[in-house]
Amino acid sequence: MGRTEVPPGTAKAVRVAAGDLIRVIDVEGGQVGDVFAFTDSGTDLAEHHSAAHTRAATDRLFPAVGEAFVTDRRRPILTLAEDTSPGEHDMLIPACDPARYAALGAPGHRSCATNLREALSELGLGFTGPAPQPINVFMRIPVGADGRLSWLTATSRPGDAVTLRAELDCVVVVSACPQDLVRISDAGLSPLAIETVHNGGTRS
Amino acid sequence: MGRTEVPPGTAKAVRVAAGDLIRVIDVEGGQVGDVFAFTDSGTDLAEHHSAAHTRAATDRLFPAVGEAFVTDRRRPILTLAEDTSPGEHDMLIPACDPARYAALGAPGHRSCATNLREALSELGLGFTGPAPQPINVFMRIPVGADGRLSWLTATSRPGDAVTLRAELDCVVVVSACPQDLVRISDAGLSPLAIETVHNGGTRS
């Protein structure tokens, strides 16, 4: 088992093998995390988790325990194995990015899209495409009967966690979302942590 | 004004200038269309309509008249100017692709993802990235109170049309969806048509 701290507003990447567990922990509570997953065939990050393909596979807007997240090639890459949080996670909203903060009057602000590239770069992996749409753990974007989205503040408690099982060898990136201009995270930015549990694959 | 016929199960691409109108017509009714849009800077298709970024901009699941579709760089690229159809259009489901049909037991079936590449290729444009998530005109994917998606059959009538206004010089691809194994289109596959109205830009 390994533990990786994700300081507030930054991201970390971990490599896991099929069968391994990845636990994303909201250390202090109320912190949104953007989770990205890429199949790992060495240096090729061409295949990644796709929110749209996952919706078509599960016929749901949002993740549910026991269901798989699939890639843009429709292969299961992660399964939501366990969830100790209130269970609200978003899969409608893209990662925050430089354009988002420029529009909010804060050019140069940290973003999950740039965090993604930094975290992959720390593993020696380059990624030049647009940031895939993430799984936004602990993020609350309820949908009204009229199809209207609301942006609410995370209600996850200290220590709440989602546990993902890798279905393929993959690289998982977790960004402790730096968004502090729209109150999706509670009471300022706080850290996340990633725990990986080696479960019979070839890596730890 | 120009008119481009889109034979059943195929796609066509058109280049338009900012200010031009693009009308997507359901010629016989009940036919889903996948609409893709890329900013046009010659040969660079790096920026494209993004369903996720559009949701974050409009705070809606589905398109509404008067609202803009934005790119993955959060720039308005198209606006839904007019809609004579019943008004249901999907922005949750990805383009059908070879993996989708392989899973349905029909490997090699035509798909909107391959149609996209073919249509761009006819304009001399190459595109190697994953197919962006399209605007699925006339496609009915209502969402239940529990977040469950339903796949219903298109109810658009012969001649129903959506009119899009280009906000940037762009390449718009319209695929008359070849999906005939899941009944999203009514009564077999039928054609679409694209009408472009030159509206003061530099192209027609």
Side-chain angles (χ1 to χ4, degrees):
Chain A
M1 188 169 107
R3 182 174 168 110
T4 303
E5 305 294 334
V6 185
T10 73
K12 294 291 178 185
V14 295
R15 286 182 122 139
V16 292
D20 289 355
L21 299 179
I22 308 103
R23 188 164 294 133
V24 181
I25 304 164
D26 188 352
V27 178
E28 299 180 9
Q31 175 61 48
V32 166
D34 283 34
V35 178
F36 305 87
F38 299 83
T39 59
D40 188 4
S41 53
T43 55
D44 173 18
L45 298 178
E47 184 177 357
H48 54 77
H49 164 255
S50 164
H53 293 83
T54 297
R55 280 192 293 272
T58 63
D59 288 342
R60 283 183 188 281
L61 286 187
F62 301 121
V65 170
E67 290 189 344
F69 300 93
V70 308
T71 70
D72 59 309
R73 298 179 194 169
R74 303 189 191 252
R75 298 198 299 164
I77 184 169
L78 297 171
T79 293
L80 182 52
E82 191 186 357
D83 185 1
T84 67
S85 82
E88 287 181 273
H89 311 288
D90 171 66
M91 221 166 52
L92 293 171
I93 299 298
C96 59
D97 52 29
R100 172 71 158 144
Y101 290 106
L104 288 170
H109 193 286
R110 292 194 70 86
S111 72
C112 287
T114 48
N115 280 353
L116 167 66
R117 292 174 214 287
E118 285 181 17
L120 289 172
S121 162
E122 284 183 12
L123 290 189
L125 297 167
F127 180 69
T128 54
Q133 193 195 323
I135 307 160
N136 297 310
V137 295
F138 314 125
M139 183 166 175
R140 298 171 66 211
I141 303 286
V143 179
D146 57 354
R148 274 270 172 197
L149 312 186
S150 302
W151 299 60
L152 304 184
T153 304
T155 58
S156 38
R157 299 149 300 199
D160 276 354
V162 293
T163 303
L164 304 161
R165 185 176 65 246
E167 303 296 345
L168 299 167
D169 292 357
C170 59
V171 179
V172 176
V173 179
V174 177
S175 175
C177 180
Q179 177 60 272
D180 51 5
L181 303 171
V182 176
R183 198 178 165 106
I184 54 171
S185 291
D186 198 18
L189 303 179
S190 63
L192 298 174
I194 311 169
E195 284 181 0
T196 54
V197 180
H198 183 49
N199 213 16
T202 53
R203 299 171 182 162
S204 68
Chain B
M1 189 169 106
R3 182 175 168 110
T4 303
E5 305 295 333
V6 185
T10 72
K12 294 291 177 187
V14 295
R15 286 183 124 139
V16 291
D20 288 355
L21 300 178
I22 307 104
R23 188 165 294 133
V24 182
I25 304 164
D26 188 353
V27 179
E28 299 181 8
Q31 175 61 49
V32 166
D34 284 33
V35 178
F36 306 87
F38 300 82
T39 59
D40 188 5
S41 53
T43 56
D44 174 17
L45 298 178
E47 183 178 357
H48 55 77
H49 164 255
S50 164
H53 293 83
T54 296
R55 281 191 292 273
T58 63
D59 289 342
R60 283 184 188 281
L61 286 187
F62 301 121
V65 170
E67 290 189 344
F69 301 92
V70 307
T71 69
D72 59 310
R73 297 179 194 169
R74 302 187 192 252
R75 298 198 299 163
I77 183 169
L78 297 171
T79 293
L80 181 52
E82 191 186 359
D83 184 2
T84 66
S85 83
E88 288 181 272
H89 310 289
D90 172 66
M91 222 166 51
L92 294 171
I93 299 298
C96 59
D97 52 29
R100 172 71 159 146
Y101 290 106
L104 288 169
H109 193 287
R110 291 194 71 86
S111 72
C112 287
T114 49
N115 280 353
L116 166 67
R117 291 175 216 287
E118 284 180 18
L120 290 172
S121 162
E122 283 182 13
L123 289 190
L125 298 166
F127 180 68
T128 55
Q133 192 195 324
I135 307 160
N136 297 310
V137 294
F138 314 124
M139 182 166 174
R140 298 171 65 212
I141 304 286
V143 178
D146 57 354
R148 275 270 173 197
L149 312 186
S150 301
W151 299 60
L152 304 184
T153 303
T155 58
S156 38
R157 299 149 301 198
D160 276 354
V162 294
T163 303
L164 304 162
R165 185 177 64 246
E167 303 296 345
L168 298 168
D169 291 357
C170 59
V171 179
V172 175
V173 180
V174 177
S175 176
C177 181
Q179 176 60 272
D180 51 4
L181 304 170
V182 176
R183 198 179 165 104
I184 54 171
S185 291
D186 198 18
L189 304 180
S190 63
L192 298 174
I194 312 168
E195 283 181 0
T196 54
V197 180
H198 183 49
N199 215 14
T202 54
R203 298 171 184 163
S204 68

